[in-house]
Amino acid sequence: MKKFRYTPLQIAIHLYAWSGLAFLIFDFVTGRLSANPIQDLERRTGHHAIALLVLSLLCTPISIIFKWNEPRKRNRTLGLYGFFYVIIHLIIYIDLDYGFAWDMIVQNIIQKPRILVGLLALLLLIPLAITSFDIWKVRLGKNWKRLHQLVYVIAPLAVLHYIWSKKGDILKLQGEVLEPLIYGLVVAVFLILRIPPIKKALASFSFRNLFLRNKKVQPPEQAELEDSL
Amino acid sequence: MTEKFGSVPVRSYEITPKHLFLSRRDFIKAAGVVAGSAALAACAPSVSDDSQNAAPTPTSSETDELGNPVNSYEDITHYNNYYEFSGSKQAVLPLSKNFKPLPWTVEVGGLVNNPKTFAIEDILKSFPQEERIYRLRCVEGWSMVIPWNGFTLKSLLDMVQPTSDAKYVRFETVFRPKEMKGQGSPMYPWPYVEGLRLDEAMNDLTILATGVYGETLLTQNGAPIRLVVPWKYGFKSIKAIVKIELTSERPNTFWLTASPHEYGFYANVNPDVPHPRWLQSTERRIGEFSRRPTLLFNGYGDQVARLYAGMDLRLSY
């Protein structure tokens, strides 16, 4: 008999992913949302979506730096959960907030850069979500990897959507910019790690190697690292 | 979707507005007086039950002049934009508990003939308090209808007599980072400063508020004294004022300094001037489900449009 086993990391990921919706429903049912509940729903689903997407980006660097293979396998779960919250976020925006008033929604897309970049990030996420299953990975071959490199476009767009949704001026470090800035820096670091020389250096150096210097260290599986980054 | 909201046990907007239950109490008191009997007064609770079915006595504070019902005291005192405490509107109330609105003085000076520092008690004594029911439109796209108590800014300015050089009025919020946690953030140009052109400040609609619903102003609403300029976006209505200064130069205001690309000095409510972040052609009234159209000058055009005659409101926004 095959046992259904979840690793602690998997359990943590599923719990964290569902916690966003669970807390939202709890607060809604118990009347803990603010006097402007639709705005609360919009903000909180958007925030959870972006947190999940940024976490999915962190998986591979964590695997490489800590020579811990598991996180790399979980980026798909995190990414799909992120997409799930993006869709809820969109439905709340179109239905609850604007009541399907398409003229206003179109006006928003044209007038507000933050809405436009948010929409772009969402549209680009759709093919990634659809092709995230193994069967597509096989079917698309090399193109699958190419397609999924779209995250390097999606993540900055999503963070930009978040930054522009907050009051203030990020370039002057004025306003509600601290949290979006942290997300922005994480994504920036992730993109920097993509630069070839840095990527190579990272693959041959790791904290774990540092700690285990005196012990026998297995050589990094270069091919696998290359594939995953 | 209204059904969905109906499943919530008690929504804040279902709570009886304070003036309604107060007017019910008046009704009860009146009933007691008419009966003229101490015995009947002792039966007050049962009288009160009967009065539940009676239509509430109409009072001036039920709607604004356009017929919009006032928001509940609960909403007004629990949903607050007050960055001195927090950027989260629900976090303001708990964080405001440490703030001490008394003792308090307001220094009025600058280009005036009679500079004067008022203790808050003197202000309450010197200027008769009246009720003003105003719509408050936040730049973020939500709005409320609030029964303020206060007095015209004009009556205070007349007392200190602005000189002929005075063109603007500059307002400043108290700076107490120990009591106002948000002021510890280096991300904002504290203290909060706002400004009005002198003719805007002298307009009869512009008031200094010291109360809401007949109650003393609470900290989260800007205690002990705040500005209310109903035809402008809410951020112009500066809270917890300690200094009012008449100037010849346009003051550098808080949000204009923090984010010059999005906040104008005038900040008149205008559905036709787009904001880079929020749609300004509609708004959501707190307690309502659907959006409603935003009115030019927040519906106060008759009283204030002449202040901007000949100005391009798209440029001077």
Side-chain angles (χ1 to χ4, degrees):
Chain A
M1 244 175 81
K2 195 184 169 186
K3 271 189 190 167
F4 243 90
R5 275 222 180 135
Y6 289 99
T7 66
L9 182 63
Q10 271 179 306
I11 292 167
I13 287 172
H14 287 296
L15 282 179
Y16 175 68
W18 285 107
S19 71
L21 205 56
F23 283 124
L24 208 54
I25 290 168
F26 177 77
D27 287 350
F28 181 81
V29 170
T30 56
R32 273 163 226 263
L33 294 181
S34 76
N36 197 353
I38 295 171
Q39 196 185 51
D40 291 352
L41 298 176
E42 245 167 27
R43 286 186 176 178
R44 287 171 59 172
T45 51
H47 186 268
H48 209 60
I50 211 152
L52 286 162
L53 290 173
V54 168
L55 279 177
S56 81
L57 291 187
L58 284 177
C59 287
T60 305
I62 286 173
S63 276
I64 292 172
I65 292 169
F66 297 100
K67 293 282 181 287
W68 177 27
N69 208 30
E70 195 191 345
R72 174 191 295 146
K73 296 184 203 156
R74 307 296 170 221
N75 60 3
R76 173 167 66 185
T77 315
L78 284 164
L80 278 173
Y81 271 128
F83 182 67
F84 172 62
Y85 279 92
V86 168
I87 294 299
I88 299 176
H89 183 65
L90 176 79
I91 290 169
I92 290 168
Y93 175 78
I94 293 176
D95 181 354
L96 296 186
D97 198 351
Y98 282 94
F100 298 99
W102 295 106
D103 54 331
M104 272 194 267
I105 293 167
V106 169
Q107 202 186 340
N108 257 333
I109 296 167
I110 297 169
Q111 272 182 12
K112 324 281 178 223
R114 72 173 179 123
I115 303 292
L116 183 68
V117 296
L119 181 67
L120 277 177
L122 179 142
L123 292 175
L124 293 175
L125 266 177
I126 293 171
L128 267 62
I130 291 172
T131 61
S132 65
F133 300 97
D134 289 336
I135 181 166
W136 279 100
K137 209 168 178 175
V138 176
R139 210 182 279 180
L140 291 173
K142 262 195 174 169
N143 287 329
W144 188 89
K145 205 183 150 191
R146 263 186 224 156
L147 180 66
H148 282 249
Q149 281 177 341
L150 275 176
V151 291
Y152 305 116
V153 182
I154 294 167
L157 287 176
V159 170
L160 208 53
H161 172 71
Y162 184 37
I163 288 172
W164 284 342
S165 298
K166 291 282 190 176
K167 277 183 198 170
D169 186 335
I170 193 114
L171 297 176
K172 289 172 61 193
L173 287 181
Q174 290 281 298
E176 294 177 292
V177 295
L178 194 61
E179 209 179 346
L181 192 70
I182 291 167
Y183 284 98
L185 289 176
V186 169
V187 170
V189 166
F190 176 75
L191 291 177
I192 288 167
L193 293 181
R194 290 288 306 162
I195 299 168
I198 295 172
K199 198 167 111 181
K200 260 189 191 161
L202 191 72
S204 54
F205 172 84
S206 78
F207 289 114
R208 199 158 160 203
N209 283 355
L210 206 67
F211 299 140
L212 303 176
R213 184 163 283 172
N214 296 329
K215 298 178 187 170
K216 195 182 174 189
V217 180
Q218 288 198 335
E221 297 151 41
Q222 196 62 35
E224 197 190 333
L225 291 174
E226 287 290 318
D227 185 55
S228 60
L229 246 189
Chain B
M1 287 319 297
T2 42
E3 244 179 31
K4 200 171 172 185
F5 281 91
S7 71
V8 178
V10 181
R11 293 296 310 158
S12 48
Y13 48 75
E14 288 168 358
I15 294 169
T16 310
K18 185 167 183 189
H19 69 273
L20 288 187
F21 75 71
L22 284 182
S23 64
R24 275 184 207 144
R25 279 189 201 161
D26 291 344
F27 179 85
I28 298 157
K29 272 188 210 152
V33 170
V34 170
S37 149
L40 219 147
C43 299
S46 64
V47 175
S48 137
D49 287 345
D50 293 339
S51 71
Q52 294 286 333
N53 299 325
T57 319
T59 66
S60 63
S61 53
E62 282 193 303
T63 62
D64 65 7
E65 80 286 2
L66 301 179
N68 299 298
V70 295
N71 278 89
S72 70
Y73 191 65
E74 164 89 10
D75 281 350
I76 294 168
T77 54
H78 287 69
Y79 189 71
N80 308 104
N81 240 345
Y82 204 162
Y83 281 73
E84 278 77 353
F85 292 103
S86 170
S88 157
K89 293 174 192 63
Q90 281 176 296
V92 170
L93 172 59
L95 287 170
S96 71
K97 301 289 184 197
N98 294 327
F99 185 76
K100 294 173 194 70
L102 291 174
W104 195 272
T105 55
V106 182
E107 185 191 337
V108 189
L111 301 172
V112 296
N113 291 323
N114 295 324
K116 191 168 164 34
T117 299
F118 294 87
I120 190 72
E121 296 79 12
D122 297 338
I123 290 177
L124 292 169
K125 248 182 269 164
S126 310
F127 303 100
Q129 310 289 306
E130 52 177 305
E131 188 187 61
R132 296 282 184 104
I133 300 171
Y134 283 157
R135 294 173 289 284
L136 179 114
R137 168 65 156 83
C138 178
V139 70
E140 297 167 10
W142 56 269
S143 61
M144 287 199 198
V145 182
I146 302 176
W148 300 105
N149 309 95
F151 56 97
T152 59
L153 176 60
K154 181 178 186 297
S155 56
L156 181 125
L157 293 180
D158 284 345
M159 193 177 272
V160 296
Q161 295 176 15
T163 67
S164 57
D165 295 332
K167 297 283 182 291
Y168 294 93
V169 187
R170 179 184 181 278
F171 306 85
E172 195 176 305
T173 295
V174 70
F175 183 66
R176 293 185 194 163
K178 279 188 184 155
E179 293 174 35
M180 302 169 119
K181 204 181 139 220
Q183 286 181 336
S185 167
M187 303 284 189
Y188 301 91
W190 308 112
Y192 201 101
V193 170
E194 259 307 336
L196 294 173
R197 222 170 52 191
L198 187 56
D199 57 344
E200 296 175 324
M202 298 297 268
N203 188 280
D204 181 61
L205 286 178
T206 307
I207 61 165
L208 288 169
T210 55
V212 165
Y213 264 96
E215 296 282 307
T216 304
L217 205 60
L218 297 176
T219 294
Q220 66 269 31
N221 293 120
I225 187 166
R226 68 169 292 168
L227 183 70
V228 181
V229 200
W231 72 93
K232 292 175 180 285
Y233 291 118
F235 68 88
K236 294 295 286 185
S237 296
I238 183 171
K239 303 183 183 84
I241 299 168
V242 285
K243 207 169 167 188
I244 299 175
E245 199 182 358
L246 281 287
T247 65
S248 57
E249 302 279 313
R250 181 192 282 191
N252 291 322
T253 60
F254 181 82
W255 284 111
L256 202 57
T257 308
S259 195
H261 307 298
E262 50 180 312
Y263 297 97
F265 177 79
Y266 287 98
N268 292 319
V269 175
N270 189 336
D272 299 322
V273 174
H275 184 278
R277 186 169 302 113
W278 303 288
L279 193 72
Q280 299 301 18
S281 57
T282 63
E283 67 200 54
R284 175 166 285 109
R285 179 71 40 85
I286 296 302
E288 291 182 355
F289 184 69
S290 301
R291 286 172 173 269
R292 51 162 72 211
T294 288
L295 306 171
L296 180 61
F297 297 118
N298 207 16
Y300 299 99
D302 287 349
Q303 292 100 312
V304 300
R306 62 190 158 72
L307 295 173
Y308 311 101
M311 277 172 59
D312 186 342
L313 295 174
R314 284 179 168 275
L315 296 176
S316 307
Y317 56 91

